[in-house]
Amino acid sequence: MTALQEAVIALPPDKMLGPTLRDLGHRLAQSTSWDVDVLDAAREARNFIAHEGSNVGDMCHADALRILGHTARLRAAVSDLARGDNIVSLWVLAIEEPRASSPRHLIDAHPSMVDTGVFGHIGDLLEA
């Protein structure tokens, strides 16, 4: 059994996501504090997307600048979530295929692919 599998098995089932991720990150020898920070940012991004992602406020005040500003925050949250997804996906790969090498090209491209898939042509507008 790998260290990752042992760490996952040792997690208490009734913990919230944030403490669970921090606990898992600290249990894993190959995990760095960077991983824990990225996972925490991904957790916060998930909460923003789930609870505030589509809320631009009162429609009578939702002008173009406000909508663009909110969309920029949403885009940053999607990026944080994609980086956290990369880490969790690597953990899952390590558990399911312990001898497989990680697909570095997909890992490196994932955040950009997610951004393009979610924001498509408006990504250029947000950068302008």
Side-chain angles (χ1 to χ4, degrees):
M1 186 175 297
T2 69
L4 179 57
Q5 287 171 310
E6 292 169 355
V8 169
I9 290 168
L11 290 171
D14 58 346
K15 258 189 182 176
M16 299 275 299
L17 181 59
T20 298
L21 290 175
R22 281 189 292 280
D23 190 21
L24 184 58
H26 294 302
R27 288 175 187 262
L28 296 172
Q30 73 269 23
S31 177
T32 64
S33 62
W34 181 82
D35 288 348
V36 175
D37 293 342
V38 170
L39 289 172
D40 199 47
R43 178 191 56 80
E44 289 180 12
R46 177 261 170 225
N47 289 343
F48 174 78
I49 292 166
H51 301 290
E52 301 174 52
S54 64
N55 184 6
V56 294
D58 293 331
M59 290 308 291
C60 61
H61 299 293
D63 61 7
L65 278 176
R66 185 178 191 146
I67 292 169
L68 283 173
H70 187 78
T71 305
R73 287 181 59 207
L74 181 61
R75 187 180 193 193
V78 168
S79 177
D80 286 345
L81 188 58
R83 286 195 305 276
D85 177 55
N86 255 347
I87 293 170
V88 173
S89 294
L90 285 171
W91 288 354
V92 170
L93 178 67
I95 289 171
E96 292 182 353
E97 301 290 336
R99 292 186 183 94
S101 60
S102 57
R104 191 82 247 159
H105 64 289
L106 289 176
I107 294 164
D108 293 342
H110 183 69
S112 175
M113 290 170 26
V114 169
D115 182 76
T116 301
V118 173
F119 294 96
H121 65 283
I122 68 166
D124 293 338
L125 179 62
L126 293 172
E127 291 170 6

